[in-house]
Amino acid sequence: MSNKVPSPAALKGSLLHYARPRGCNLLERTQSLGDYVELRLKNHVLPYSRSLINAAGPETTIQYDDGATGKGLNFASQDYLAMNNRPEIREAAIQAINEYGVHSAGSPTLLGNTVNSLALEEQLAEFLKTEYVVLFPTGWGAAFGTIVALVGPTTMW
């Protein structure tokens, strides 16, 4: 386990400080960013170089790029509701894989909908007492679609 306390220098700054690199050549322009990343890697505080060792959950174990491991609260995975370890969720996933395979779907315009997703849209619309509900394949897609609908050039509000 990595119980190493990071150096104060490794906790200073952010990637924003490297958004406008200066210098005559590519290596000169990126040297300070490289030094920053290397310092954060050595101190296990670079959020981009970690891998899950076990199933994501409220607490999880990670591996750093140098092979060291760490354990702590999980604020980084997409298991927002900490449901991936619940037995009923796992059983439903196994049943869905057995019935439908591992197709990840995608955009509704390109065979992303299934009879199940359409039924869920209908059930949600009924529950919410609205005419339509649209399911998005990703959280990013939902956020983007919402922002475009609310502030786009053809907003109906």
Side-chain angles (χ1 to χ4, degrees), residues 96-109:
I97 289 170
N98 287 336
E99 190 168 341
Y100 299 102
V102 293
H103 177 249
S104 63
S107 169
T109 59

Side-chain angles (χ1 to χ4, degrees), residues 30-31 73 110 112 142:
T30 59
Q31 183 64 48
L73 295 178
L110 297 172

Side-chain angles (χ1 to χ4, degrees), residues 15-94:
L15 290 176
L16 181 62
H17 293 98
Y18 305 96
R20 295 194 176 158
R22 300 188 193 295
C24 296
N25 63 52
L26 181 61
L27 293 177
E28 186 178 317
R29 288 194 305 269
T30 59
Q31 183 64 48
S32 60
L33 172 61
D35 293 343
Y36 169 79
V37 167
E38 188 63 33
L39 178 64
R40 290 184 66 96
L41 280 170
K42 285 181 184 175
N43 284 271
H44 297 152
V45 292
L46 186 69
Y48 311 112
S49 257
R50 301 173 182 170
S51 301
L52 287 169
I53 291 176
N54 57 357
E59 291 185 22
T60 195
T61 304
I62 58 172
Q63 179 175 312
Y64 300 96
D65 71 319
D66 64 1
T69 60
K71 190 173 199 168
L73 295 178
N74 179 6
F75 294 109
S77 79
Q78 293 190 21
D79 186 15
Y80 305 122
L81 301 176
M83 296 177 68
N84 81 354
N85 285 316
R86 295 183 58 127
E88 62 271 26
I89 299 295
R90 287 177 172 238
E91 185 56 41
I94 291 167

Side-chain angles (χ1 to χ4, degrees), residues 104-127:
S104 63
S107 169
T109 59
L110 297 172
L111 293 178
N113 280 331
T114 66
V115 293
N116 295 325
S117 64
L118 294 174
L120 178 58
E121 285 179 347
E122 289 177 18
Q123 290 171 7
L124 287 171
E126 184 178 316
F127 176 76

